[in-house]
Amino acid sequence: RMTQQHATSEPAAALDVLVVGAGVAGLYAVHRLRGQGLSVCAVEAGDGVGGTWYWNRYPGARCDVESIDYSYSFDPQLEQEWDWTERYATQPEILRYLEHVADRYDLRRSILFGRRVATAALDEDSGRWRIGLDTGERFATRFVVFAAGSLSAANTPDLPGLGSFAGRTFHTARWPHEPVEFAGRRVGVIGTGSSGIQIIPILAEPAEHLTVFQRSPNYSIPSPNRPHTPESRAEYRRSYADRRRLSRESGGGSPHRPDPRDTLEVPESERTEIYQRQWQLGGVLFSKAFPDQLRDAAANAPARAFFEAKVRATVDDPVIADMLIPTDHPIGTKRICTDSGYYPTFNRPDVTLVDLRATPIEQVTPGGIRTPGGEHALDDIVFATGFDALTGALAAIDIRGRGGRELRAEWAAGPRTYLGLGVAGFPNMFVVTGPGSPGVLTNMILASEHHVDWIGDTIAHLDAHGLWGIEATA
Ligand code: FAD
């Protein structure tokens, strides 16, 4: 619903748009919205740009969508200039890329770093959003864009006794900026999601002993990573326009297509060849072997069986293999993880896997972690426990819409949005890759560009028609 101009006696607001966050989405929002002549300011809690790629500096952090696809598409010149060193870039390289983007488009001058947006309230008299920062700074803005991240509010479980632990603790999503030495140490990793799966093989190398605490096993498929060569670079530069078109047309935001047939139409031997081909494409793409794989349990079962056989052929101890193979969800219904040597790590004599469903953590002690199976002696605990996903960053802000309605309260029983972009009762407030959008199920850089372009076009339309605002209806 679009609304006519507000009757207001207030002079023009200080800002047209306030953007929360300077990750992939916030950076593009500054570029795009400023580029259409709006006054824009972004506020970022970190001391630099990059969001996910600023905070998640743990060893092994890298993307699971090929870098040539997991990169901005808004400027063909940028695509042609940037040299990706390998197919799946590591965190330092992705951060360098985002810093380059910030410099190349002169974005930093519109970003305030090292402060948090604490409050955002619609002032219905003036028709402006009033934004308060944790520094006490205040803004009035016509529009507010939350690019605060689906996976940015780090989650540390409140384990009994954690404060008593005498060793070091780390969180993958708040990793120190300096290198951390693990040589000769007894290290515990809690969590076997994407971050745990990436860091575990790397920590196993220097650690004297690595103990992996697993609640939920996840499906993981090795990354077919390799360095780019001058030839592969020339090839991707030539094919960029096509790759982007195919990516935009696909549900997952990548240029790969499933076999067009339904799984069970394909003879078993041919199906196995197709699974093998998808396996070599790596990670998330394995869930896209056939179009019905994520819709039909019978079509999912052979893909899952293929995965299971791969793990059993890799992990020597069948009891450990049983612990590592998920049985509680079909393959691909959670984003498949992408790894470099994850399953072989469990063949090492200096690595122990603890099943927290069988033996939950009872207590963190000064010397380690106690479960009903005994005490695991540790010098370091690494939390790879992910995020308060999707709603965490927004729930941390006091957001009030019409009549003082509080977003946290509105979403107490779960978030309700229009396509993830807008919320009823919260006019002129946009969320990028918000809950209810394809968000974390897709290539999030292309998804962010898509959302921000829609927001930019919408604001341009409102302004061209002298309209005050836009609002999702319940
Ligand atoms: P973020 O990058 O999370 O940025 C949000 C920013 O907002 C943060 O910097 C945060 O500090 C700031 N912020 C939040 N609240 C406030 C506040 N109140 N005030 C001020 N600032 C605030 N996606 C893919 O598609 N492919 C991948 O390969 C991939 N790999 C990933 C690997 C890891 C380790 C992780 C954690 C995620 C990965 N993702 C991947 C998802 C990733 O989060 C997105 O791709 C993308 O980087 C999100 O960008 P964003 O700008 O939306 O959010």
Side-chain angles (χ1 to χ4, degrees), residues 21 23-25 44-45 51-52 55 58 63-64 70 116-117 148-149 442 444:
V24 162
E44 166 55 55
T52 289
W55 295 107
Y58 61 88
C63 53
D64 66 357
Y70 183 70
R116 287 195 159 272
V117 169
T442 183
M444 292 194 73

Side-chain angles (χ1 to χ4, degrees), residues 249-315:
E249 287 170 2
S250 87
S254 82
H256 306 277
R257 287 282 179 274
D259 189 283
R261 295 165 293 177
D262 276 350
T263 307
L264 300 176
E265 277 173 31
V266 179
E268 194 179 332
S269 61
E270 192 188 343
R271 216 192 293 148
T272 306
E273 274 171 36
I274 292 171
Y275 287 142
Q276 183 58 32
R277 209 172 54 222
Q278 288 298 119
W279 187 271
Q280 277 154 355
L281 278 177
V284 285
L285 296 174
F286 187 74
S287 55
K288 298 188 171 70
F290 296 100
D292 59 346
Q293 196 170 320
L294 295 183
R295 283 192 264 115
D296 177 357
N300 192 272
R304 193 194 165 281
F306 185 91
F307 165 87
E308 178 166 347
K310 288 278 190 193
V311 176
R312 293 204 184 278
T314 307
V315 177

Side-chain angles (χ1 to χ4, degrees), residues 63-385:
C63 53
D64 66 357
V65 171
E66 259 189 272
S67 296
I68 55 174
D69 302 318
Y70 183 70
S71 52
Y72 289 115
S73 68
F74 66 85
D75 183 351
Q77 201 54 45
L78 175 65
E79 292 172 343
Q80 296 298 320
E81 276 167 18
W82 184 262
D83 280 340
W84 291 107
T85 65
E86 47 184 344
R87 285 184 72 198
Y88 296 85
T90 55
Q91 172 272 331
E93 184 168 352
I94 301 172
L95 182 59
R96 267 201 312 281
Y97 168 76
L98 294 173
E99 287 173 339
H100 168 73
V101 169
D103 292 336
R104 192 187 188 289
Y105 300 96
D106 189 21
L107 304 180
R108 291 178 211 267
R109 70 179 159 85
S110 300
I111 306 171
L112 297 172
F113 292 102
R115 22 210 352 148
R116 287 195 159 272
V117 169
T119 59
L122 178 70
D123 172 3
E124 290 183 77
D125 293 334
S126 66
R128 311 293 185 210
W129 278 87
R130 306 229 170 254
I131 310 290
L133 309 195
D134 60 355
T135 51
E137 290 158 283
R138 297 269 175 273
F139 294 91
T141 180
R142 292 166 57 210
F143 300 95
V144 59
V145 173
F146 288 102
S150 312
L151 304 172
S152 65
N155 176 47
T156 304
D158 186 17
L159 298 174
L162 184 56
S164 74
F165 183 59
R168 303 181 300 179
T169 57
F170 302 92
H171 193 296
T172 48
R174 292 291 177 271
W175 201 261
H177 289 206
E178 316 70 48
V180 184
E181 190 53 69
F182 288 97
R185 298 179 71 85
R186 296 162 305 172
V187 182
V189 175
I190 304 180
T192 54
S194 288
S195 303
I197 282 172
Q198 288 187 331
I199 199 174
I200 283 164
I202 293 188
L203 292 184
E205 290 292 331
E208 181 192 303
H209 194 93
L210 180 70
T211 307
V212 176
F213 297 88
Q214 169 188 273
R215 182 182 63 186
S216 310
N218 275 291
Y219 295 99
S220 186
I221 292 181
S223 157
N225 196 24
R226 57 174 180 268
H228 271 297
T229 59
E231 294 72 37
S232 68
R233 262 187 219 117
E235 169 51 29
Y236 75 65
R237 288 199 166 117
R238 220 179 6 254
S239 60
Y240 244 130
D242 272 344
R243 289 191 83 96
R244 297 301 197 182
R245 182 181 50 76
L246 290 168
S247 297
R248 280 195 201 94
E249 287 170 2
S250 87
S254 82
H256 306 277
R257 287 282 179 274
D259 189 283
R261 295 165 293 177
D262 276 350
T263 307
L264 300 176
E265 277 173 31
V266 179
E268 194 179 332
S269 61
E270 192 188 343
R271 216 192 293 148
T272 306
E273 274 171 36
I274 292 171
Y275 287 142
Q276 183 58 32
R277 209 172 54 222
Q278 288 298 119
W279 187 271
Q280 277 154 355
L281 278 177
V284 285
L285 296 174
F286 187 74
S287 55
K288 298 188 171 70
F290 296 100
D292 59 346
Q293 196 170 320
L294 295 183
R295 283 192 264 115
D296 177 357
N300 192 272
R304 193 194 165 281
F306 185 91
F307 165 87
E308 178 166 347
K310 288 278 190 193
V311 176
R312 293 204 184 278
T314 307
V315 177
D316 299 338
D317 181 338
V319 176
I320 303 282
D322 280 343
M323 288 161 70
L324 289 168
I325 295 169
T327 52
D328 61 353
H329 64 286
I331 188 163
T333 54
K334 283 162 75 176
R335 191 172 177 128
I336 298 177
C337 301
T338 304
D339 71 85
S340 307
Y342 180 61
Y343 293 111
T345 302
F346 294 93
N347 294 333
R348 297 175 63 120
D350 53 0
V351 173
T352 305
L353 179 63
V354 177
D355 177 359
L356 295 180
R357 289 192 176 164
T359 56
I361 293 174
E362 287 176 342
Q363 179 88 27
V364 180
T365 64
I369 290 181
R370 200 176 66 224
T371 72
E375 175 146 351
H376 301 274
L378 301 172
D379 302 309
D380 298 316
I381 299 176
V382 173
F383 288 96
T385 42

